Amino acid sequence: MQRIGVFVCWCGTNIAGTVDIDQVKQAAEKIPGVVNVQDYQYMCSEVGQNLIKNAIKEQKLDRVVIASCSPRMHEATFRKAAKSAGLNPYLVEIANIREQCSWVHKNKEEATEKAIALVRAAVAKATLNTELVPGEIGVEPRALEIGGGIAGIQTALDIAEAGYKVDIIEKTPSIGGKMAQIDKTFPTLDCSACILTPKMVDASTHPNINLYTYSEVEAVQGYVGNFEVTIRQKARSVNADKCTGCGICTDKCPSKKAESEFDEGLRKRGAIYIPFPQAVPNVPVIDREECLKFKTGKCGLCERVCPSGAIEFNQEDTLVTQKYGAIVVATGYDLINLDKFGEYPYTEHPDVITSLEFERLTSAAGPTAGKFLRPSNGNKPKKVVFVQCVGSRDKSSRGKTYCSKICCMYTAKHAMLIKEKYPEIEVYVFYIDVRTPGKNFDEFQRRAVEEYGVNYIKGMVGKVFPEGDKLQVHGVDALSSETLIIDADMVVLAAATKAKDDAQELGRKLSISTDANNFFTEAHPKLRPVETHSAGIYLAGACQGPKDIPETVAQSSAAAAKAIGLLNKGKLVNNPCVSQVDEQICSGCLACTKMCPYEAISSQVIEVKEQGKIVKKTVAHVNEALCQGCGGCTVTCRAGALDLKGFMNRQILAEVDAICL
Amino acid sequence: MSLENKQISSENTSNFKPLIVAFCCNWCSYAGADLAGTSRLNYPANVKIIKVPCSCRVNPNFVLRAFQRGADGVVIAGCHPGDCHYTSGNYYTRRRFTLMKNLLEYVGLEPERFKVDWISAGEGNKFAAVMNEALEQVHKLGPNRKLRDARWKR
Amino acid sequence: MEKIANKVRETARLALANGEVNKILGWKKGDFWYDSYPAFITEEEGTASLIWDSFCVANLSKYLIEQLKEDIKVGVFLKGCDARAFNQLLKDNRVDRDKVVIYGLPCPGMIDPEKVKKAGLAKGLLDVQKSEDEVVFITKEGEQKFSAREFAYDKCLTCQYPNPVVYDELLAEEVERNNTTEYFYQDVEEIEKMSPDERFAYWVEQFSKCIRCNACRNVCPACSCEKCIFDNSKANVAGKAKVDSEEQFFHIVRAYHVAGRCVDCGECSRVCPVGIPLAKLNRKIIKDITEFYGEHNAGVNPSLDAPLETFKLEDIDPFETRAKGGK
């Protein structure tokens, strides 16, 4: 017979207020195998833990059940306490009588009855618990950074500085991301490129950082400390080692029809192109959809003019597989498509632009060399209208329900940038609310209104009609209920931010979850904001939710700290709750090998004695380092030859029986 | 009707206290249940939770055993498809129990007595709502006699 | 059929004579007119006792598991449904294809003795002869002719694979059988139409007849575990008491365990000594699999994934009550 100790926690009045502790204790004492029952106000406190430790030693307890808060809260605490008293930590079971009992039920009698049932189930399970010893796994001292925007660059630099190797995978031909497209940054109005480009150069020259630009994640295998990632390096058609970045090829390219992604389509680029002058690496790429050589077989001009013979039309995608201990996801965001917002003729009228296009128009390196001109006719606008929340805080299916967070601030910035250069231009901003929390943020926005005379109008724009060479903006001032008609020259739309379209696909490859809006989900909204539910995978930047630059950088350094902490451990303890095979019962059908998500089950041939003869027999074999303990195989196994340590068939059935008493 | 079923029907049903056994996956639904707790969302005490690492750990045997032992309803809750901590466990759950639920209904169990649902760690509301709904429906149906072992006294 | 029976005997004799196989697995005549027994023959002369008639219904493939434990090569006669069973055993790693020589027998359908008895034709019966469409009952008084369909097993009436799907040698020309007129899932739909209480009453009555003899399990080509979970005391579900709930537990789990693996040979129903229509449970699952995941005929193509060992992201989801995020 087991010697089980039951410890009932009051959690102050959190449990004791709704659950009759004495009744729980009395009921626990009657359960076969229970030899010691105690209660305490805060079992997780040092006094409470000592109570448990002493009881283990003095009463020679071989199983411990703690009726307290959720095991997600303090299971680790109590296991540690048991271990220090010489008891295998896996002989501890928790009955969750707070989150799943006292906090959700009001009736004391019913809550007490349920608490007793939960204690009974935990004792029933604990009775069948066995000692489990976790194994050790190594940690590959190298991190992978997915995404080469400011989040990725910051994280990579931090990790590299700590002395670990980092690889950055960037989908586009250059690192830099959205921040590289931005002209000035709020709330300081300093030049975005001036603070970003040095970091880009640092990343490319750091001895610990390796860039995979124009590359994507093909497949991810493995687990924390030992991820195995296959990277697809798309064919650049230019040999990066030979290329000097002289740019002759991009000048001479006769095809100039493609829209520059970097300039948001406001400028054309060649089929062979460098995304922007400060690109890192400064190596062009051939857009095979546009290139005449690829389309017609003729041309090849770039190859002829290249002084270093770097053009390679026959390049193919290459796959690289690399091991990593930690992965940081920093894939960023995009703006939503505005096709469905017919009230603003964005798709039809060149003078209706998005905020990101505005950034390019005001940038000194942009298509107008920083002169603020109407895309339709190149004239200077007289009136500009900004529309906020285009698709943000929008409950209809075309928009996003959430606040995009950055628009209020960048619109104030845009308005100020216009007023700074051209004080005579009238600027109007239609908004639902102005949301500017953040250090020096509200002051910044107020300056736009108070110092620069930007007209803020609380209300939405109903429709924008092209009228001659003007854009007639029909809006409502919600404060005066007046209908406003503004003859604008340009309309700038604060399009909602959205998660990357391929976020779910990447999430699936990494086994990390996405929320209803396809942003990656953090492990805990408050306490584990940069971790995911998959150990060893961290989040940085706007891929987790809309974020501005300061927040992104802070989160990136946080993710880096987490990754460094992991890499620094060198060794990890793995989960001992893994599947095991009863070779006597296993028939060798190997159905389990097919369903295992981790390919942790293989087959092996063993010799068994059958009716006095030694015969060979095929059975399943679990690789404990690969098994993550989901237990799916135990259900695939009809005979019950596979069982999951810590959650054995017998244990769960015993819990069912105990709950149904 | 067999002898043992007659025995159960003679029990007093006026103070019917239904029992719902809920198997919740550790990563999503158990955390969702915890969130219902931290948010102080109410649901009846008749719902009792058993933690499993993944919904794919739930063997149909466990469900049948719960009914055998007098559960009036059984719920399996796991991560939303696509969100499984173990990548694909809940996709297997979905197939297995799509067939199993139909089979149980084929042998006469009322559909309301056995449910599978996807509840994320952030859906404390949904957890409470699913449990309340399950309980309400089971309450309407009355005590379960089907698949139940009359020798087991609850 | 007699012509083919001769070929069966000759094939078996030759195979043993030239050492192609060490043992032959076939049928021999039983004690009654409707009986056939499995025959295990190692000597040439023994092959004379082999038969092939309208009562060779027993599926011989499952005997291979035991037979192949010896290091020998076995020749076996398999009908259409038996061959699917063989493939299922192959998929479950229970037989070694290299140690088996399969003699395929296209099957014209077998006669159900129970139907003959019910029709009152069993008395004084000397012989039963069956051609493709007709069956002739011969007694002292003379002959009586009937349509063969009238006395065929229910499972033969809906059989879609009368020709072996795997063989080394085919002993007769493939038969054509068009069963599309008979609606395939009629038996299942009859039960589906009932109310939950009616369905429960129906199955309780059926299951309560169960004597836990395990004939269904022993005959089933998908039930091939070395140790069944119901015999495994560690699994803690081995209840065998004569109470409704344990019978229900057993039969529900048995049906679930063969889900996606049942070759629909109907042997479980046939061998049940108390007449529980067990195949109706299996066929319900086959119907659901077909509806939800597309047609999957277990044992026809063993390289296909079993429905419960795989999934698709876009599988139907009958469970979701509220979309994620409450949308």
Side-chain angles (χ1 to χ4, degrees), chain A residues 582-588 610 617 637-642, chain C residues 69 94 217 223-235 238 240 257:
Chain A
D582 185 333
E583 291 173 350
Q584 261 195 317
I585 293 170
C586 178
S587 303
E610 203 172 277
K617 177 181 167 182
C637 184
R638 301 173 286 278
L642 270 158
Chain C
K69 282 188 178 166
R94 305 298 283 135
R217 202 175 83 181
C223 271
S224 61
C225 290
E226 287 205 355
K227 188 165 198 170
C228 176
I229 191 153
F230 287 100
D231 293 339
N232 175 3
S233 56
K234 273 195 234 165
K240 290 190 177 72
H257 279 184

Side-chain angles (χ1 to χ4, degrees), chain A residues 72 100 513 533, chain B residues 24-35 52-55 77-85 90 117-124 127, chain C residues 324:
Chain A
R72 298 173 59 84
Q100 296 182 5
S513 54
H533 277 302
Chain B
C24 292
C25 90
N26 179 47
W27 304 96
C28 288
S29 309
Y30 192 89
D34 276 357
L35 182 62
V52 284
C54 176
S55 59
C79 305
H80 284 268
D83 285 356
C84 178
H85 178 76
N90 53 4
D117 215 326
W118 317 121
I119 302 172
S120 80
E123 293 176 322
F127 185 88
Chain C
K324 193 165 93 176

Side-chain angles (χ1 to χ4, degrees), chain A residues 74 238 255 283 342 444 496 555:
Chain A
H74 275 311
V238 176
S255 159
V283 176
F444 181 80
Q555 200 192 13

Side-chain angles (χ1 to χ4, degrees), chain C residues 198-262:
Chain C
E198 284 168 351
R199 286 198 290 266
F200 188 68
Y202 172 83
W203 283 112
V204 164
E205 195 196 324
Q206 297 298 336
F207 292 152
S208 64
K209 295 190 278 188
C210 180
I211 53 171
R212 299 297 285 273
C213 68
N214 285 333
C216 50
R217 202 175 83 181
N218 294 341
V219 79
C220 177
C223 271
S224 61
C225 290
E226 287 205 355
K227 188 165 198 170
C228 176
I229 191 153
F230 287 100
D231 293 339
N232 175 3
S233 56
K234 273 195 234 165
N236 201 8
V237 293
K240 290 190 177 72
K242 183 75 192 104
V243 292
D244 285 356
S245 69
E246 290 190 0
E247 286 148 4
Q248 290 154 7
F249 194 112
F250 171 76
H251 286 292
I252 293 168
V253 170
R254 192 201 58 80
Y256 174 76
H257 279 184
V258 300
R261 306 169 57 255
C262 166

